[in-house]
Amino acid sequence: MNWLSKLRHRWSHASDSRIAAAGLFQHLPDAALLLDSQCCSLEANAALRRALGPTAPVRRGMPGERIFDPGSRAAFRRWWEEVHPEAELTLLPAEGRQPMLVSPVRLLLEDGTWVLLLRDVTQRHALAAQFAEADRLQVLGTLAGGIAHDFNNLLAVVVGAADQALLQKGLEADLAIRDDLQQIRQAADRGAALVRQLLAYARQQVLAPRLVPLNIAVRSMATLLQPLLGQQIRLELRLDEPGRHVRIDPSQLDRVLMNLAMNARQAMPQGGTLTLQTGRVLLLEPLRAEPEDVPPGRWTVLEVADNGQGIPKEILPRIFQPFFTSRAHQGGTGMGLATVHGIVRQSGGYLLVESAVGAGTRFRILLPRVDDAPQAAPEPAAVEPHRAPPSVPPPTEQQTILLVEDQEPLRRLAERALRKTGWQVMAAEDAEDALALLDDQQTAPSILVSDVIMPGMDGAELATRLRQRWPALPVLLVSGYAPSIVSGGFGESGVEYLAKPYRPAELVEAVQSCLRT
């Protein structure tokens, strides 16, 4: 006999059983309301009183629908009168809490009263939303990765060709052509930035997280932000002491702060106050928030708050969606907050927002508490006087670069840039072609420069094969698709990474850096 059957049985028998049933009713795990035949309240159990809070007491004789949010009362009446099998209704929210979504079930007792059982389905909806978001991110991540790889290959050709054209002799006199080439290069840079934003939103970036002293990072960014905010906006710091460390890529933390601060500036055209605040919070139960719930745990908090125009309630749930913007006429791309959200989530944290029109906006970044003791910074190496810094000797005929790139236009541009610097270049269109070039060669090339994503064997596997033969071979992997670098062993000793699109000068510099180390 389950507890509902026990409740019905005891309520309908002798007085001592009624007392026991009343005790069972009070200790039901779900919120419950005892109603008379006219759907008026008789008694609320402890779980329902906790859910409603002290500001919404249940009084005897009160219509049953009064425990629900006004928007759900008509739906409850229809459900009650028409005996619908299922419904989802919203309880009146307790002060300071998110409203609870419940599915009602009713049980008729033999004395003509009803037990209205209210099963909390909020968590079920939250889980469904999280699964949907995970599926969407997986699809977007795959799409963004493919776009990044193919689009960055195209952009690398555009950027490289524009740079090479700008170096042509005789072009100095034709200012119109130079201006056109500069416009091409700037447009390609903007396209590359958009691809990086897509990867950030899809949580597909290559991050370099380390322990960062949060207060020091905030103070450092504040010195950069104040001139950008202008004289009408006051920057206020409220930093919790002692300061905490967080594990995050410091460049991405700066990017998050810069993006949120610039959003705040646009929300305060007449001036105002931007507050950067740090703190900590201990959650003993999930925190229901927008856009997603935060699980229990110990969190380090970074807040960015303004007293500007605020965000209308109807668009607040959409602000983290990619390409959604309310400032298209001001040149907004709709990727700023989407990028910030992706960076925070990929770093293991959560980004929450609270806003009201005319009252400003507060973003809270919750990052996992770090209990590791921060490592002391290494002492700077002493530099002997009159000793020149290490440099790369000029290339000689013996220094040969093995260049592997399946995109012919990009391969030609890269080969031209490297040859102009003085290196010998062996160019191959794929890994198999590169291995064939080295079949009869006894000496190792000076360095392998290879794209990662190629037909057949990828660049990471090629690097592994060649380093089995020549363990000390320097490797420079090139790609516009970040996840492939991670799976291909990015971070191994002697293996460096260059992101596409790159300029010819950046390729030369990356090769020099690999040879120097």
Side-chain angles (χ1 to χ4, degrees), residues 124-208:
R124 185 178 72 191
H125 278 254
L127 287 173
Q130 290 176 11
F131 285 135
E133 174 70 3
D135 289 342
R136 187 165 64 89
L137 278 175
Q138 183 177 3
V139 172
L140 180 59
T142 303
L143 177 62
I147 290 175
H149 176 250
D150 294 337
F151 197 47
N152 280 335
N153 274 335
L154 297 174
L155 290 173
V157 174
V158 174
V159 169
D163 278 1
Q164 293 288 346
L166 284 168
L167 296 175
Q168 297 299 315
K169 294 181 179 180
L171 195 60
E172 296 84 352
D174 198 331
L175 297 179
I177 294 178
R178 287 188 64 85
D179 184 62
D180 288 342
L181 290 172
Q182 292 285 7
Q183 292 290 333
I184 291 171
R185 191 164 63 178
Q186 291 170 11
D189 288 341
R190 288 195 295 271
L194 182 58
V195 173
R196 288 194 297 271
Q197 288 177 321
L198 277 172
L199 288 173
Y201 172 74
R203 309 171 198 173
Q204 297 289 339
Q205 295 187 100
V206 173
L207 300 181

Side-chain angles (χ1 to χ4, degrees), residues 486-516:
V486 177
S487 63
F490 174 50
E492 291 182 0
S493 175
V495 179
E496 300 292 337
Y497 165 62
L498 177 64
K500 293 180 179 179
Y502 56 78
R503 290 189 166 87
E506 292 172 334
L507 174 63
V508 170
E509 182 180 352
V511 170
Q512 289 176 335
S513 176
C514 283
L515 292 173
R516 184 181 298 121

Side-chain angles (χ1 to χ4, degrees), residues 462-473 475 492-495:
L462 172 63
T464 301
R465 291 274 295 272
L466 292 183
R467 296 190 89 183
Q468 289 172 350
R469 184 174 175 184
W470 297 298
L473 176 67
V475 175
E492 291 182 0
S493 175
V495 179

Side-chain angles (χ1 to χ4, degrees), residues 7 61 69 84 111 139 166 237 323 357 362 381 403 417 440 494 507:
L7 178 63
D69 181 83
H84 288 300
D111 63 355
V139 172
L166 284 168
L237 299 184
F323 304 111
V357 174
R362 179 174 71 149
L403 173 66
D440 299 326
L507 174 63

Side-chain angles (χ1 to χ4, degrees), residues 130 283 285-289 292-296 299 350-352 366:
Q130 290 176 11
L283 298 181
E285 59 183 20
L287 172 65
R288 293 173 181 166
E292 57 197 333
D293 294 351
V294 182
W299 302 93
Y350 290 84
L351 177 64
L352 313 180
L366 276 65

Side-chain angles (χ1 to χ4, degrees), residues 210 212 214 216-222 224-225 248-261 302 340 343:
R210 61 179 177 86
V212 176
L214 185 57
I216 294 176
V218 172
R219 287 193 188 99
S220 177
M221 275 301 296
L224 299 176
L225 290 175
I248 194 170
D249 187 323
S251 65
Q252 298 301 324
L253 177 60
D254 290 347
R255 186 177 177 187
V256 165
L257 282 171
M258 178 67 73
N259 205 308
L260 293 178
L302 170 60
V340 168
I343 291 171

